Amino acid sequence: MTTTNAQSWWQHNVPTALAEKDWCFTHVRDRIDLAAWQAFTRNVPRDPYVERRWKRMSWLALDEQGKMKSLGECPMAQGGQYNDADSMADKLRWYPALEQDFLDRPDVRAFVESWAGLWGLDANEPILMQITGVRGSGELDPLQGQGIHADGCRYLSIMVLDRNNVSGAESVLYADRAGQEQVADQVMEPGDVLHLRDDRLFHGAKPLRQEDANQPYERFIIIINASFVDGFQNRMLRRYFPEAVIHEHIA
């Protein structure tokens, strides 16, 4: 897959918006079977590190033909400069892989391959893809202590997968970590995607509220990112994927 073909998978304004302002909102509802993707949230296990959260993740890459492949196991590792939450920062976190039936779906493979092409990734550059979400009742901070933050990478996209009995949880972008320069503020519905240059912008989410107090809520998202600038994560990637392409100048 060429970069041009990969970019054409997205709405026509996406590459231009990213080039001009480093972020954009878009959607993929016409490209994927959203209901089929949503079904995979049912088997996402509880996060052993963070209360009231569920998570799976897999490390992926493109092969020499531009096709998605799985790299295997490697922990998630976020340094404290990128994550303020005590339950996550400066820890090696291991999660179950995304289900193989999910990764084998043609629309999932097309999503990952086109996402990599949009950012111009080469073969064997590690890509982290997660399904993560919250369930429960009452008000909740969707980020659970992370606050306004960056994920420690260059390229980041967030897709809302499922959103039931939820109000709030707006996705917010900032030019600064202090949150004084807000760039965007939007409620994202299932199928919506936020692309951003994570090394140039900061992001957060407003509190999530339960609409019907008699029913539980659920909100799941897909996070996909690559080209890590977090030295802690890059050290783990080198250890577990010695053949992977990791850019030394951003390690």
Side-chain angles (χ1 to χ4, degrees):
M1 177 182 294
T2 66
T3 299
T4 301
N5 290 338
Q7 289 182 346
S8 68
W9 193 87
W10 302 95
Q11 291 178 309
H12 66 88
N13 64 307
V14 169
T16 300
L18 291 175
E20 291 179 352
K21 60 182 184 179
D22 297 325
W23 66 274
C24 72
F25 287 105
T26 185
H27 70 83
V28 294
R29 283 181 289 274
D30 57 343
R31 297 289 190 176
I32 68 172
D33 185 339
L34 184 58
W37 286 37
Q38 290 169 340
F40 287 94
T41 65
R42 298 169 193 158
N43 295 323
V44 177
R46 280 183 175 270
D47 188 320
Y49 309 96
V50 184
E51 292 184 4
R52 298 173 67 185
R53 191 168 76 176
W54 283 252
K55 186 190 287 280
R56 286 185 182 273
M57 71 173 211
S58 288
W59 289 99
L60 311 169
L62 299 183
D63 64 17
E64 298 296 339
Q65 287 71 49
K67 301 300 182 182
M68 189 195 88
K69 65 178 181 179
S70 295
L71 291 178
E73 289 191 336
C74 174
M76 178 182 284
Q78 288 181 313
Q81 70 270 40
Y82 296 105
N83 194 324
D84 290 337
D86 291 340
S87 60
M88 301 179 233
D90 297 317
K91 292 178 171 63
L92 297 180
R93 290 182 284 149
W94 296 90
Y95 294 101
L98 298 171
E99 294 177 85
Q100 194 60 47
D101 286 349
F102 177 74
L103 293 175
D104 287 341
R105 289 187 56 84
D107 54 355
V108 172
R109 300 180 70 87
F111 174 86
V112 173
E113 291 164 6
S114 300
W115 182 87
L118 177 67
W119 295 111
L121 298 186
D122 293 324
N124 299 312
E125 293 191 49
I127 299 167
L128 178 59
M129 186 176 189
Q130 310 170 51
I131 295 178
T132 183
V134 293
R135 295 182 170 113
S137 59
E139 187 170 295
L140 179 72
D141 168 13
L143 299 174
Q144 293 166 293
Q146 294 180 79
I148 299 171
H149 69 289
D151 281 15
C153 61
R154 281 184 169 174
Y155 312 126
L156 169 67
S157 298
I158 301 165
M159 170 188 157
V160 173
L161 187 54
D162 212 350
R163 179 185 171 102
N164 294 309
N165 196 31
V166 167
S167 63
E170 296 92 336
S171 298
V172 191
L173 287 178
Y174 303 91
D176 65 317
R177 191 168 186 177
Q180 299 300 307
E181 299 180 57
Q182 182 174 302
V183 175
D185 181 340
Q186 182 167 315
V187 172
M188 292 173 61
E189 300 294 339
D192 287 346
V193 179
L194 168 61
H195 296 303
L196 68 144
R197 277 292 301 261
D198 185 70
D199 59 336
R200 297 178 181 173
L201 295 166
F202 298 87
H203 61 281
K206 293 183 178 179
L208 175 156
R209 297 178 298 278
Q210 182 180 8
E211 288 187 332
D212 181 350
N214 297 313
Q215 299 293 329
Y217 64 72
E218 177 175 287
R219 181 178 182 267
F220 274 82
I221 62 175
I222 283 178
I223 303 172
I224 182 167
N225 58 333
S227 196
F228 293 87
V229 299
D230 187 336
F232 186 25
Q233 185 66 81
N234 277 337
R235 288 194 295 275
M236 293 303 106
L237 290 171
R238 289 194 189 92
R239 179 181 302 175
Y240 287 89
F241 307 138
E243 303 303 317
V245 175
I246 299 169
H247 299 286
E248 297 293 335
H249 64 281
I250 62 171

